[in-house]
Amino acid sequence: MTRATLARLFAAMLVLTVVISVVMVQIDWNGTAGSEEADDIDRLLDVMIVLSAFVYSIVLVMLGYSIWRYRAKPGDESDGEPIHGNTRLEIAWTVIPTVIVLFGAAYSWVILDDIEARQPDRLQVDVTAQQFAWKFEYPDADVTSTELHVPVDRQVEFSMQALDVIHSFWVPEWRVKKDLVPGLTTHVVATPDREGSYSLICTELCGIGHSTMRAPVVVESQDDFDAWLAKQAKAQGGKQPGGGAVEEPSQEAQQGESIFTEQGCSGCHTLAAAGSTADIGPNLDEVLPKRSAAEIHQSIIDPNAQISPGFGASIMPQEFGDSLSDKQLDTLVDYLMSSVQGGK
Ligand code: CUA
């Protein structure tokens, strides 16, 4: 191959790289960006697209050239020339990909280092996942919620635990994603920079209710966030003064309802009193009125003891007997009994 041919092939590779890159970078692969991290990650994706386009162009141009240049003439039945290696070519096809991969690794490292740097004023949120629900705790305010509220333009560090199987934390607009692994605490940071309502999506296949394992995310101004947090703290009798001024019976019901939602029951069961409409497990408004308190208690700690028609065994987690205290179990059973008996 002459020097001039080589130069022409290289020029063809560059042109093809530019054409592919321009088209592919135009496409909005990730949708709306809603965090400071998103800009870095989207730029990294663009760089990777250009590098991939270059590698793809090398392969495509050389393939096309070889097919055209070394095609057999009509009637040519002879074997091809035997080839015994080419040191220069082998060095080139080792060095070029190595340089490309090392560049990609170094650039990714810089970006990861940048987005994972902890800011001193960050907000701490503890996340707990279990089949098939999310729970958020704000340790500084003693507040627990099934909705994720965060202030805009402030870094949030999520410390995450899974109670049963592997789940994965993903708010598409924030780009960052991290698994929650039983027995480990994993961390992920995000700095939401766009107010609005989003969805936290579980992105690890975790069981029959995986596709419903979502939680509302609200990104709001610091003032709105503070107001929300104070309201939650008051309702939950947290550190806010004046908590516990709620009258006795409704507090019981409220505790029952929070156990029902926080333990994930609402992720699978319909219960009008709790406003849940899921249909992975039996509709509690229908099946519970036929059951005694003792039977309900048993179904929570040993779900396979009595299976409702139309539902398979072992769909419901088996460990509530261990994870709930006796008092929580009693509160939950009382709550369920009163919820399905017309608020008696
Ligand atoms: Cu949790 Cu999928």
Side-chain angles (χ1 to χ4, degrees), residues 3-139:
R3 215 161 266 269
T5 314
L6 207 57
R8 245 176 272 140
L9 288 176
F10 189 65
M13 289 169 194
L14 289 185
V15 171
L16 196 58
T17 303
V18 171
V19 172
I20 296 174
S21 300
V22 166
V23 174
M24 299 297 270
V25 167
Q26 294 304 318
I27 297 171
D28 184 16
W29 296 102
N30 291 330
T32 310
S35 75
E36 284 176 17
E37 293 75 14
D39 301 333
D40 279 346
I41 292 173
D42 289 350
R43 198 172 323 112
L44 175 64
L45 179 67
D46 286 346
V47 170
M48 292 300 172
I49 286 174
V50 173
L51 287 178
S52 311
F54 180 57
V55 173
Y56 183 61
S57 301
I58 296 177
V59 173
L60 214 59
V61 167
M62 290 315 291
L63 185 69
Y65 175 75
S66 304
I67 289 173
W68 171 77
R69 176 72 178 74
Y70 300 106
R71 70 192 184 283
K73 309 270 179 309
D76 179 2
E77 295 293 326
S78 64
D79 287 341
E81 258 179 78
I83 296 172
H84 296 285
N86 182 326
T87 310
R88 257 169 47 192
L89 189 61
E90 283 165 17
I91 289 174
W93 78 39
T94 305
V95 169
I96 295 174
T98 305
V99 169
I100 292 176
V101 169
L102 285 180
F103 171 79
Y107 186 42
S108 305
W109 181 299
V110 168
I111 290 203
L112 194 63
D113 207 46
D114 183 33
I115 60 185
E116 292 201 328
R118 303 294 198 269
Q119 305 300 327
D121 68 334
R122 68 185 181 276
L123 173 71
Q124 177 66 42
V125 179
D126 295 337
V127 180
T128 310
Q130 78 180 117
Q131 293 164 319
F132 301 99
W134 297 95
K135 187 173 81 176
F136 310 100
E137 285 175 82
Y138 298 78

Side-chain angles (χ1 to χ4, degrees), residues 132 134 166-168 202-207 210 213:
F132 301 99
W134 297 95
I166 300 176
H167 303 274
S168 189
C202 176
T203 168
E204 188 71 57
L205 183 59
C206 55
H210 159 68
M213 191 169 163

Side-chain angles (χ1 to χ4, degrees), residues 286-312:
E286 286 169 10
V287 297
L288 291 193
K290 298 167 209 144
R291 304 227 179 147
S292 67
E295 286 174 310
I296 296 175
H297 187 274
Q298 191 193 26
S299 284
I300 297 171
I301 61 174
D302 182 14
N304 287 343
Q306 195 181 355
I307 302 287
S308 293
F311 294 89

